[in-house]
Amino acid sequence: DIPLFMTTNYGVYIVSEMLRLRIGNQAFFATLEALANQQYLSTTMLQNEFEKYSGLSLDNFFDFWIHGGFIPSVEITLHDLDIPLGDKPQSGVLGCVQSDVPFGIFEMPLRIQLTNDADQGSVQDVFVAISKGQGTFIIQNENSKSIDITVDPLGLSLIRKAKVSKGKPKQSCIE
């Protein structure tokens, strides 16, 4: 059993790290420095300052993670896909993401690792937007023999459970 005060503090740390990764170190720490001498601080003031220093709208982030407090589970199904690019279609993979939270908008970090026949690979870290419980992404993999997807590779998101599986070829995540 983990004491309640520890889980509450850990949640604040994780949400802070998610925000820092979203807006960058410079904006994150500049905001904290600007707020350091405040006697009173509301969530709205905090959001406004982070938006001011980052230049980003953080409505969705604060609505989902701060005001909503939801911890989603996600399931990603990978489908083979032909991507029409000019005269010569390229092969790819369509990633369909389903969340057990069917409302709100949040971003989920993924690490995509592609490996080719010579066992050389490339790694790309991306954020996938999940809106109303669904999200999609496409990976071009013209010369790749394998694709490995890691959900939340740094362990800095509040994702309850994540599953990645392979599905039948299709062109869209919408049935």
Side-chain angles (χ1 to χ4, degrees):
D1 290 316
I2 300 172
L4 180 61
F5 76 90
M6 289 186 72
T7 58
T8 302
N9 292 341
Y10 183 71
V12 170
Y13 167 75
I14 292 295
V15 171
S16 297
E17 281 299 295
M18 289 168 38
L19 180 59
R20 184 183 65 80
L21 290 172
R22 182 72 188 107
I23 67 173
N25 286 339
Q26 185 173 355
F28 183 80
F29 290 110
T31 302
L32 293 182
E33 187 175 331
L35 295 173
N37 294 323
Q38 292 289 329
Q39 295 291 326
Y40 169 78
L41 187 61
S42 69
T43 306
T44 302
M45 292 168 60
L46 189 66
Q47 179 179 346
N48 289 341
E49 289 298 307
F50 278 118
E51 287 179 340
K52 180 174 112 180
Y53 283 92
S54 70
L56 300 172
S57 171
L58 298 172
D59 287 340
N60 292 332
F61 183 91
F62 274 76
D63 286 347
F64 194 88
W65 296 111
I66 306 298
H67 303 299
F70 305 106
I71 302 176
S73 293
V74 294
E75 184 171 332
I76 300 171
T77 308
L78 303 176
H79 306 277
D80 290 332
L81 172 72
D82 287 329
I83 303 169
L85 292 174
D87 297 338
K88 180 179 153 188
Q90 293 192 14
S91 64
V93 171
L94 173 67
C96 299
V97 183
Q98 185 71 42
S99 168
D100 64 344
V101 180
F103 48 83
I105 299 171
F106 68 97
E107 290 183 318
M108 177 182 61
L110 295 180
R111 176 164 291 153
I112 301 168
Q113 185 169 355
L114 305 173
T115 307
N116 63 20
D117 291 332
D119 286 332
Q120 296 175 330
S122 65
V123 175
Q124 183 178 17
D125 290 328
V126 297
F127 282 94
V128 176
I130 312 299
S131 178
K132 297 179 182 176
Q134 298 182 337
T136 61
F137 60 94
I138 294 176
I139 305 166
Q140 292 183 8
N141 68 331
E142 187 176 338
N143 298 317
S144 298
K145 71 175 182 181
S146 71
I147 297 175
D148 184 39
I149 305 284
T150 304
V151 177
D152 188 22
L154 300 176
L156 296 176
S157 290
L158 293 174
I159 304 286
R160 179 176 295 117
K161 182 174 83 173
K163 177 183 173 187
V164 179
S165 61
K166 184 82 171 151
K168 296 178 181 177
K170 61 195 240 179
Q171 294 297 112
S172 171
C173 291
I174 300 171
E175 297 293 330

